Amino acid sequence: MNILLNSAKKGQLWDRYYAIKALGHIDQPRVRKTLTQCLKEFFAKDSDWKWIPGRDLIGATLTSLGSIGDKQTALLVIEYTRDPGCDFLYDDLKKCLVKIGKPAVPELIAAIEEDLNNGLYDWGRLVLVEALGDIGNPEAVPFRVKLLDWPYPDEWSERDFKEVALRGLGYLKAYDAFDKIDRELLSGKEESTRQAAAQALGLIGGARSFAVLERKLEGSDAQWVERECLASLISIAFKELNTADMKLKASQITARKSGVESAFELMYQPIMNSESWAIELFFQILGDVPMQRNFH
């Protein structure tokens, strides 16, 4: 360990790199202290060094600190997301915070809230929200819901923050946030917001989500929004609930929105399994099937 610690602090470039990577497997306070010192040293250098060769060293240090990091590590990394010259480290910074996991959650929430209250918005603020979403800790659900009602200073920050918050709520199956997700699907300002809401409902699942998506598809919206609504609807009908009624409705909506060929692809396996709903619907739509196509 002493050899690794000395190499991390004083070795040549690649000696430092491999020593830092190796230290990420040793969860001890003095290792964390050394890696923290290295990170501070690397970030103190000029922007050209940070790009080449510093990017590899900083990335390795963030990876190792992510594996053995704690609350204090999270605070340090959060501070470095505000460094204006480190856009190229977006993924490395996010992965480090995600690896630290639960200890980083309260610090991430506090930092995001502070930035939003001060009207600050740039890539560094967004990386914090994405990290919070990727950690997937239920403790962050109330804050994600709060982000859906935040008085954002501009349309760009509202779009980006809401999109990440909605997807996070979906992955966590936050049923308590259902009404707000429904609201964003029906009346969200941006297409990407409505698309994220549709994805969230598909992840939450259940008959209630199916009904909201079905209602949405009765009207019209942008192509990508409708496509996400349809994908979520099909997932609930065929993978989750798997009832004849739901599969029939999903196939009928698919035929109306995407054409009978897309509906037939959904129905093919149920037809092969002799499911009566699929056979009946197939003969109903058969007249609309392009006969130049070989449907066996």
Side-chain angles (χ1 to χ4, degrees):
M1 190 190 296
N2 288 333
I3 293 171
L4 288 173
L5 290 171
N6 287 330
S7 295
K9 290 185 285 188
K10 301 176 183 178
Q12 298 298 314
L13 176 66
W14 290 107
D15 292 334
R16 299 189 78 177
Y17 174 82
Y18 286 112
I20 286 168
K21 289 195 73 173
L23 287 169
H25 298 281
I26 305 171
D27 187 359
Q28 288 198 13
R30 63 178 178 147
V31 172
R32 196 176 300 113
K33 181 180 178 182
T34 294
L35 292 176
T36 299
Q37 289 172 344
C38 289
L39 193 64
K40 289 178 179 178
E41 174 198 339
F42 300 151
F43 269 99
K45 294 181 182 291
D46 62 56
S47 56
D48 288 339
W49 185 91
K50 287 174 186 173
W51 180 250
I52 299 174
R55 181 175 183 174
D56 291 323
L57 277 176
I58 296 174
T61 310
L62 288 168
T63 299
S64 291
L65 279 171
S67 300
I68 62 174
D70 55 7
K71 173 183 173 180
Q72 294 305 316
T73 308
L75 285 169
L76 180 67
V77 175
I78 287 168
E79 193 57 39
Y80 285 133
T81 63
R82 296 176 166 92
D83 191 303
C86 293
D87 299 41
F88 57 88
L89 289 167
Y90 192 101
D91 286 335
D92 294 305
L93 290 160
K94 182 170 76 171
K95 286 176 183 176
C96 178
L97 291 166
V98 172
K99 271 191 172 184
I100 292 171
K102 188 175 180 179
V105 169
E107 313 310 326
L108 285 167
I109 291 173
I112 296 165
E113 197 156 12
E114 178 185 350
D115 290 342
L116 286 172
N117 282 329
N118 291 330
L120 301 174
Y121 173 64
D122 59 20
W123 73 271
R125 279 74 187 178
L126 191 58
V127 76
L128 299 183
V129 182
E130 289 190 1
L132 184 65
D134 289 351
I135 290 172
N137 191 295
E139 292 177 12
V141 167
F143 182 68
R144 287 198 185 94
V145 173
K146 194 174 181 180
L147 288 176
L148 298 181
D149 291 321
W150 201 276
Y152 293 99
D154 56 69
E155 59 188 290
W156 300 282
S157 56
E158 180 176 358
R159 176 198 63 198
D160 292 343
F161 278 81
K162 278 189 174 182
E163 194 175 324
V164 176
L166 285 163
R167 290 200 170 95
L169 290 167
Y171 285 121
L172 287 170
K173 297 189 180 296
Y175 198 81
D176 291 344
F178 192 95
D179 289 339
K180 293 188 184 295
I181 298 172
D182 181 7
R183 179 196 70 191
E184 295 300 328
L185 176 66
L186 298 177
S187 57
K189 295 177 186 176
E190 299 289 334
E191 289 180 14
S192 59
T193 304
R194 300 194 297 277
Q195 190 176 358
Q199 184 183 23
L201 289 174
L203 292 165
I204 291 172
R208 189 179 176 191
S209 292
F210 187 96
V212 170
L213 292 163
E214 182 182 13
R215 186 174 79 246
K216 175 70 173 176
L217 288 166
E218 288 173 358
S220 61
D221 205 325
Q223 176 186 358
W224 295 108
V225 178
E226 289 195 350
R227 186 174 295 182
E228 195 66 57
C229 287
L230 197 55
S232 292
L233 190 85
I234 290 168
S235 176
I236 294 170
F238 283 83
K239 295 180 182 178
E240 183 194 352
L241 300 178
N242 202 30
T243 65
D245 181 52
M246 293 293 188
K247 289 189 284 187
L248 174 61
K249 284 183 179 180
S251 299
Q252 289 171 327
I253 294 169
T254 300
R256 190 175 75 249
K257 287 291 184 179
S258 298
V260 292
E261 293 182 57
S262 296
F264 179 77
E265 289 176 9
L266 280 179
M267 296 156 53
Y268 182 79
Q269 194 56 52
I271 289 172
M272 294 297 100
N273 293 338
S274 300
E275 295 183 31
S276 60
W277 72 267
I279 296 171
E280 290 172 11
L281 179 58
F282 174 67
F283 282 105
Q284 288 173 22
I285 66 174
L286 185 57
D288 297 323
V289 174
M291 297 319 296
Q292 69 269 25
R293 292 292 302 273
N294 177 12
F295 283 98
H296 310 293

